[in-house]
Amino acid sequence: MSTGIRHKTEKHAWGRRVLAELKEELDRLEAAGSLHIPVEPGGWWHQYVCPRHHAELLFDPAERDAQSFRCPHGCLIEGEAYRGAWLVFKHLSLARAALQAASVYAASREAAYALLAKRIIVGYARQFPDYPVHPDAQPWMLKGRAFHQALTEAIWSTTLLRACLLLSDEGVTWTGPEREAIDGYLRLLEASMTEYRRILIHERGNAENNYTAWLNASLSCVHAVKNDRSGLLALIAGEGGWKHHLSIGVKPDQLEFEGSTYYHVFVLRAYLISAEMAERFGIDLYDVEGTAGQSMSGMFDVLAALADDRGVLPALHDGPMERLPYAREIAEIMEIGLSRYRQPGIVPVLREAYRQMGGPDGARCQLEALLYGEGEEPAARRFVERAAVGTNGADGACGQETGLRRGSRLLRDSGFVVGRRASNALSFLADFGPHGGSHGHYDKLHLTMMHRETAFTPEFGMVPYGSELRKQWFAETASHNTVSLGGASQTAHTGSCLRFEETAVHTYVWLRSEGAYPGCRMDRHLLLTDQWLLDWFEVTAGEEASIEWWMHPVVVAEEEADRTGIETGPERAPDDGVFYPLAIEGEWQRLPVVKRYEAAAPVGSARELRLSYKAPGGGRIYHTALLQPGDEAYAVRTPGTSVDPSLPLTALLHCRHGRSARFVHVYSAEERMALKESPSGAVQVVSAGGIRTCELTEQGLAVIGGERHE
């Protein structure tokens, strides 16, 4: 936690502005009588989701109590599970209010805020023994007292204990009864967190679990409040401790082992809390490395490498695309990372988090700014420059990043690859690595395409786990930009990167999957030049099957069928009885077909499907696909993003029935590219500036003859 909170408000205009906002919010909550501790424990927050719209229900911290809960579309939901989930948010918001009040006191020295923080901390300390070890928790959970999950309890406890420490740092004293209540809370919390660690690390043999990082963080806070240096040292050094978890919970390429951006942020935040507590004893963990070079600095660097040009982190595997509590977590760790490591790539990610939190144009706001912000307000910067050409080093990083320049990046251990070119507004991120355990998706060879000004085909992330769409859509293959067979999802498996290169004229990646379906091999070739991105996907199935190539843009497509030899079927209402079947979770489900495109071409001749997509500022993304005779292409209505699945999207489905298929698509943000296929199977990409001929060889995709002008 940053020190010198009062100094920030005295020296910086942003500090004074944020302090005024935080005081006003606390005063409003206090006047509403909402800072009242419920006697009921919380449930599982993932159940706080509308069963009809699958969007997270609304939560207002000003409510003292609630028995019915509203979704963003107006549904009024009641029930014990929703009540328990609401209580999770309520308990977490009260812990945040305690830390906020302590911070306001540190900045203003107004005694009322110290008293408010103390009231909440001591109130919970006295209430905690009366919460039972949760009888309603699900069997797979490590059970908490104040919540279904011990994980939630650990997170909540770090907020309360950081508030307690901040008050003590500012000279606030505790009465004998108050200290007695806090000591009792610490004893119970330490005993339960220690037992959960034993179960997780020794009984289940699952030390790398993200739970472990948070159990460590909670215990670190306990040791800091108790001034127990020896206990903290033992926690850092032991099996499953801070140093060990860094070595087993993070891959050598610096990404958290589950391959989820959300859980990467989640674990990094826990590490930083532990490091903050260790620093109180003169122990520096900020530059410690794991056995394969893992470090917190590297964990920040990989987030900056994965973010798009606006600073938006991709929702890899499980995790939200955009959510206020998540944005707060990102702001917290990015402020700490910026002050500790001075990495310029942190700034766009930090400002995007503040934008999602309501900060005008990404300006600092809310509690995270006052606690962790340092120095002047970070300038509005974007990833607008990219390294031209780099060399592929041993760690898989391409090129050196200076300022906001970024090249491509291969994360070979985690199985992700990012392609960027200096003068191309389009870039890509592809997934070929390990499944990701319980937080993985059936998405090998998924392709995320990004534009400098907008999301194009992003990862959709995950809805709250209490939604049926978690397994019925968002984890499944058809919700990703990859290939499925027979309407069924891939099996959990790991693909491979067979080739990755950057040259003066292109960035090329060859990815392979051989475990998605029995006897099936899939190869995806991605060729990024300074003008366009070619996506060449080859599939060899083990038997006759419907081979389905999916793409999910989040911007509106406009077809240009009248110029391309493609017959366009009529626009269909979603309920007119034309559906595309999917086999998900052992049951057949159906997606409405909105439109059908067919290649109107002689046998042996392919035709183009031309689409374009609107980008902000009046620009466009141009998309051309080759449709072979026998290919089918559909516009298919699907659920929306994980932010609000009830707002439908329209996917492009390009499919073929047989034992093999070839899907060739090209994209550009500059001009329309044409595709022509030769009898030999080579493909020409034709632009106003010339032609490049691409051909598959045993070594991958070859660009023949460079570029020539007509």
Side-chain angles (χ1 to χ4, degrees):
M1 188 183 303
S2 297
T3 57
I5 292 176
R6 189 172 186 182
H7 173 74
K8 300 174 193 179
T9 62
E10 293 173 340
K11 185 174 181 180
H12 301 296
W14 68 261
R16 293 188 290 277
R17 170 176 49 80
V18 172
L19 174 60
E21 293 169 355
L22 297 179
K23 289 178 65 175
E24 187 280 330
E25 181 182 19
L26 287 172
D27 293 347
R28 177 172 52 84
L29 294 174
E30 183 77 322
S34 61
L35 299 179
H36 171 77
I37 296 173
V39 296
E40 302 165 76
W44 190 39
W45 83 260
H46 280 283
Q47 292 175 307
Y48 204 62
V49 59
C50 177
R52 177 183 175 189
H53 294 100
H54 304 280
E56 188 173 320
L57 301 175
L58 301 175
F59 173 76
D60 181 359
E63 280 190 298
R64 175 173 175 147
D65 198 10
Q67 300 292 334
S68 59
F69 316 96
R70 195 171 297 277
C71 97
H73 298 280
C75 299
L76 200 61
I77 312 295
E78 296 181 354
E80 188 175 335
Y82 303 104
R83 165 73 176 172
W86 180 88
L87 283 164
V88 173
F89 285 94
K90 187 62 179 177
H91 288 304
L92 292 175
S93 73
L94 286 167
R96 180 180 176 85
L99 183 54
Q100 185 167 324
S103 303
V104 169
Y105 172 74
S108 69
R109 282 297 190 274
E110 295 183 41
Y113 296 101
L115 292 173
L116 172 58
K118 287 182 66 177
R119 189 182 84 210
I120 296 172
I121 294 166
V122 175
Y124 269 123
R126 289 171 173 157
Q127 178 65 40
F128 191 70
D130 293 334
Y131 293 135
V133 176
H134 215 300
D136 299 323
Q138 297 180 35
W140 57 269
M141 294 177 177
L142 289 175
K143 297 181 179 182
R145 282 181 174 271
F147 306 90
H148 277 197
Q149 283 190 296
L151 175 62
T152 315
E153 195 150 291
I155 297 166
W156 166 79
S157 71
T158 63
T159 306
L160 276 179
L161 295 181
R162 290 162 108 184
C164 184
L165 287 165
L166 180 54
L167 289 176
S168 296
D169 290 344
E170 297 297 327
V172 174
T173 59
W174 308 85
T175 67
E178 288 172 344
R179 174 53 64 186
E180 183 179 351
I182 291 172
D183 288 345
Y185 168 59
L186 293 175
R187 283 193 298 272
L188 276 176
L189 183 66
E190 182 176 11
S192 60
M193 294 293 130
T194 301
E195 174 62 9
Y196 300 144
R197 286 185 85 254
R198 185 197 66 78
I199 294 171
L200 198 60
I201 297 169
H202 301 289
E203 189 174 305
R204 298 185 182 179
N206 193 202
E208 72 275 13
N209 197 299
N210 59 64
Y211 264 55
T212 309
W214 277 101
L215 298 176
N216 289 343
S218 177
L219 285 168
S220 295
C221 291
V222 170
H223 294 315
V225 175
K226 292 173 59 179
N227 197 28
D228 181 5
R229 190 175 194 274
S230 61
L232 183 65
L233 284 171
L235 182 65
I236 292 170
E239 183 179 0
W242 193 94
K243 292 181 179 179
H244 184 220
H245 194 273
L246 179 65
S247 296
I248 62 175
V250 179
K251 298 277 190 179
D253 59 24
Q254 308 293 344
L255 195 63
E256 195 265 347
F257 81 100
E258 293 163 295
S260 161
T261 324
Y262 173 77
Y263 284 100
H264 180 97
V265 169
F266 189 63
V267 167
L268 178 54
R269 181 170 177 245
Y271 287 169
L272 288 166
I273 291 172
S274 293
E276 176 190 322
M277 297 303 116
E279 191 174 39
R280 302 178 74 89
F281 295 98
I283 303 165
D284 186 1
L285 296 179
Y286 290 98
D287 295 315
V288 171
E289 293 188 354
T291 54
Q294 302 96 325
S295 68
M296 290 197 292
S297 175
M299 293 178 75
F300 280 107
D301 176 69
V302 79
L303 287 175
L306 289 171
D308 72 10
D309 291 336
R310 300 166 299 149
V312 178
L313 294 174
L316 304 178
H317 295 175
D318 276 0
M321 291 182 71
E322 184 172 326
R323 183 171 179 264
L324 178 58
Y326 182 38
R328 287 171 171 169
E329 293 170 7
I330 294 171
E332 177 181 321
I333 69 167
M334 291 299 164
E335 287 284 20
I336 298 170
L338 185 62
S339 65
R340 289 284 176 177
Y341 303 112
R342 307 295 180 186
Q343 296 173 358
I346 287 173
V347 174
V349 182
L350 173 62
R351 290 187 63 88
E352 171 60 21
Y354 280 131
R355 185 198 66 76
Q356 294 181 21
M357 292 162 63
D361 194 31
R364 279 177 167 150
C365 63
Q366 299 194 25
L367 177 60
E368 288 68 26
L370 189 61
L371 277 175
Y372 310 107
E374 295 287 353
E376 297 294 337
E377 182 110 35
R381 305 171 74 185
R382 283 177 142 194
F383 296 115
V384 294
E385 298 181 85
R386 297 175 181 158
V389 180
T391 56
N392 188 9
D395 64 352
C398 290
Q400 298 298 314
E401 297 183 8
T402 304
L404 296 185
R405 292 177 175 269
R406 298 185 300 166
S408 301
R409 180 72 66 95
L410 174 62
L411 305 179
R412 193 174 291 278
D413 303 295
S414 299
F416 297 98
V417 59
V418 180
R420 297 187 179 96
R421 303 291 297 178
S423 60
N424 197 334
L426 298 180
S427 57
F428 70 82
L429 187 159
D431 178 350
F432 65 89
H435 179 68
S438 61
H439 296 300
H441 293 186
Y442 304 98
D443 62 351
K444 290 312 103 181
L445 308 197
H446 164 87
L447 173 66
T448 290
M449 286 180 283
M450 298 165 282
H451 186 279
R452 281 182 181 153
E453 300 299 329
T454 187
F456 182 27
T457 63
E459 271 272 19
F460 290 155
M462 182 54 66
V463 288
Y465 296 157
S467 167
E468 293 180 348
L469 286 185
R470 180 192 185 188
K471 295 183 178 180
Q472 292 179 359
W473 178 246
F474 285 99
E476 301 304 314
T477 302
S479 74
H480 295 81
N481 306 312
T482 186
V483 164
S484 59
L485 261 60
S489 282
Q490 301 173 3
T491 59
H493 72 290
T494 301
S496 59
C497 179
L498 300 185
R499 187 172 157 194
F500 173 54
E501 67 182 24
E502 277 199 304
T503 72
V505 294
H506 67 244
T507 300
Y508 170 59
V509 178
W510 176 9
L511 307 177
R512 172 169 287 179
S513 159
E514 296 182 286
Y517 304 93
C520 177
R521 187 177 76 187
M522 303 192 295
D523 291 278
R524 190 162 213 163
H525 304 267
L526 299 167
L527 183 71
L528 182 68
T529 73
D530 291 339
Q531 292 79 39
W532 42 263
L533 168 63
L534 180 68
D535 175 18
W536 187 317
F537 207 131
E538 294 271 331
V539 183
T540 302
E543 56 186 23
E544 292 273 338
S546 173
I547 305 171
E548 302 137 343
W549 179 98
W550 294 92
M551 189 186 80
H552 299 270
V554 293
V555 288
V556 177
E558 298 175 347
E559 74 276 358
E560 302 173 18
D562 56 325
R563 296 163 45 199
T564 62
I566 300 296
E567 292 183 353
T568 304
E571 185 87 14
R572 303 179 187 276
D575 59 353
D576 72 350
V578 180
F579 298 95
Y580 196 85
L582 297 176
I584 296 178
E585 286 286 290
E587 296 182 3
W588 285 97
Q589 299 185 34
R590 306 184 302 168
L591 295 179
V593 173
V594 177
K595 186 177 293 185
R596 176 173 176 169
Y597 312 98
E598 291 189 75
V603 175
S605 177
R607 285 290 186 269
E608 295 175 316
L609 170 62
R610 295 185 174 186
L611 302 169
S612 64
Y613 309 85
K614 293 181 180 179
R620 287 189 177 276
I621 301 167
Y622 298 97
H623 175 193
T624 305
L626 279 180
L627 293 190
Q628 305 282 350
D631 283 6
E632 295 178 318
Y634 302 95
V636 178
R637 193 64 48 83
T638 73
T641 71
S642 58
V643 176
D644 191 343
S646 70
L647 301 177
L649 293 171
T650 301
L652 175 63
L653 171 60
H654 181 179
C655 56
R656 182 179 187 85
H657 192 87
R659 301 178 71 91
S660 64
R662 168 180 293 181
F663 306 107
V664 181
H665 296 247
V666 68
Y667 308 86
S668 173
E670 295 185 357
E671 60 175 300
R672 166 69 60 198
M673 301 293 162
L675 290 175
K676 296 181 179 179
E677 187 175 44
S678 70
S680 67
V683 172
Q684 292 181 330
V685 182
V686 184
S687 68
I691 300 172
R692 288 193 188 179
T693 301
C694 303
E695 185 175 51
L696 279 185
T697 71
E698 292 183 356
Q699 289 74 44
L701 198 63
V703 182
I704 303 171
E707 185 170 356
R708 63 181 176 86
H709 295 274
E710 296 180 322

